[in-house]
Amino acid sequence: MFKKVILTIVMVTALFAASESSYPTHWKNFASVKTTLATIGALPGCDADVSTLPAIYQETVATYCAIKPGGPGAVEILVNAIAKKAYTKRNGKFPDGATMILHLKDLKVLFVTTYKNNKPLYSVYTENGQDAAGDVGSGLNPQDCRKCHTGYSAFCVNGQCASLK
Ligand code: HEC
């Protein structure tokens, strides 16, 4: 009985720290696009002055600046060809599958948004496919992604935050 409770706790913990969709094996075929963040080119460290940026960008820097000394570093935004139309139009109508990636190039990590029945699922993978989702509150848990990506309704449309520049 006791053992069963512990096993359940371990399983539930693992569930909460796991990515919500599978690794997009074909991510290298996604096209890089120009957005506000892609134009800046990197996520800075915690001492950067980001006071002129929109609040969602300030929160993004605050969430990730301490991940590594000096900040997460170089980034690019990748969009799957199947999602190019929805991404460009910002109409929130995404096809099933992995659609958009925030590629943390220096960290070799992929933040992946995947859609199922037009609902966004969030995942974190290393470039070579290891699930790198973290605990809730670490910034690397799907719940953390969802909180920010749905918390700025004036900014993000059905999971998509940026637009093309
Ligand atoms: C505190 C806010 C915040 C959190 C937390 C956050 N994001 Fe984002 N995300 C953003 C912003 C802002 C952009 C737009 C950046 C740009 O200008 O391209 C973005 C962009 C993206 C993109 C590119 C497509 C788009 O929506 O513009 C993906 C994919 C993405 N995030 C996935 C994730 C995943 C997966 C997580 C969790 C591990 C996550 N994000 C956590 C704010 C956040």
Side-chain angles (χ1 to χ4, degrees):
M1 161 72 181
F2 191 57
K3 254 190 186 159
K4 205 170 171 188
V5 171
I6 292 186
L7 190 68
T8 309
I9 292 171
V10 169
M11 277 164 58
V12 167
T13 311
L15 198 69
F16 279 111
S19 285
E20 293 179 336
S21 59
S22 55
Y23 169 66
T25 49
H26 54 312
W27 70 270
K28 282 185 184 154
N29 298 335
F30 291 19
S32 90
V33 298
K34 227 176 141 194
T35 63
T36 298
L37 182 60
T39 305
I40 297 169
L43 279 167
C46 300
D47 53 358
D49 178 10
V50 291
S51 57
T52 58
L53 293 177
I56 187 171
Y57 285 87
Q58 294 187 32
E59 191 185 331
T60 305
V61 172
T63 304
Y64 298 106
C65 68
I67 247 174
K68 172 172 155 271
V75 293
E76 66 178 347
I77 304 292
L78 304 173
V79 177
N80 188 349
I82 61 164
K84 187 71 199 265
K85 194 171 144 205
Y87 187 86
T88 306
K89 287 188 160 180
R90 274 176 76 78
N91 61 12
K93 292 183 184 145
F94 286 95
D96 280 3
T99 56
M100 299 171 281
I101 295 177
L102 196 171
H103 180 200
L104 297 150
K105 292 163 77 174
D106 287 345
L107 294 175
K108 302 189 188 302
V109 164
L110 309 171
F111 281 12
V112 186
T113 305
T114 300
Y115 286 80
K116 200 173 173 204
N117 301 324
N118 208 31
K119 295 265 182 330
L121 301 172
Y122 298 98
S123 299
V124 184
Y125 281 100
T126 62
E127 283 182 354
N128 49 27
Q130 273 177 306
D131 193 334
D135 294 334
V136 176
S138 65
L140 299 175
N141 188 276
Q143 289 188 34
D144 302 337
C145 317
R146 183 163 288 113
K147 196 170 165 199
C148 189
H149 275 245
T150 55
Y152 290 87
S153 53
F155 208 91
C156 307
V157 181
N158 192 19
Q160 173 187 352
C161 290
S163 43
L164 290 177
K165 287 280 140 195

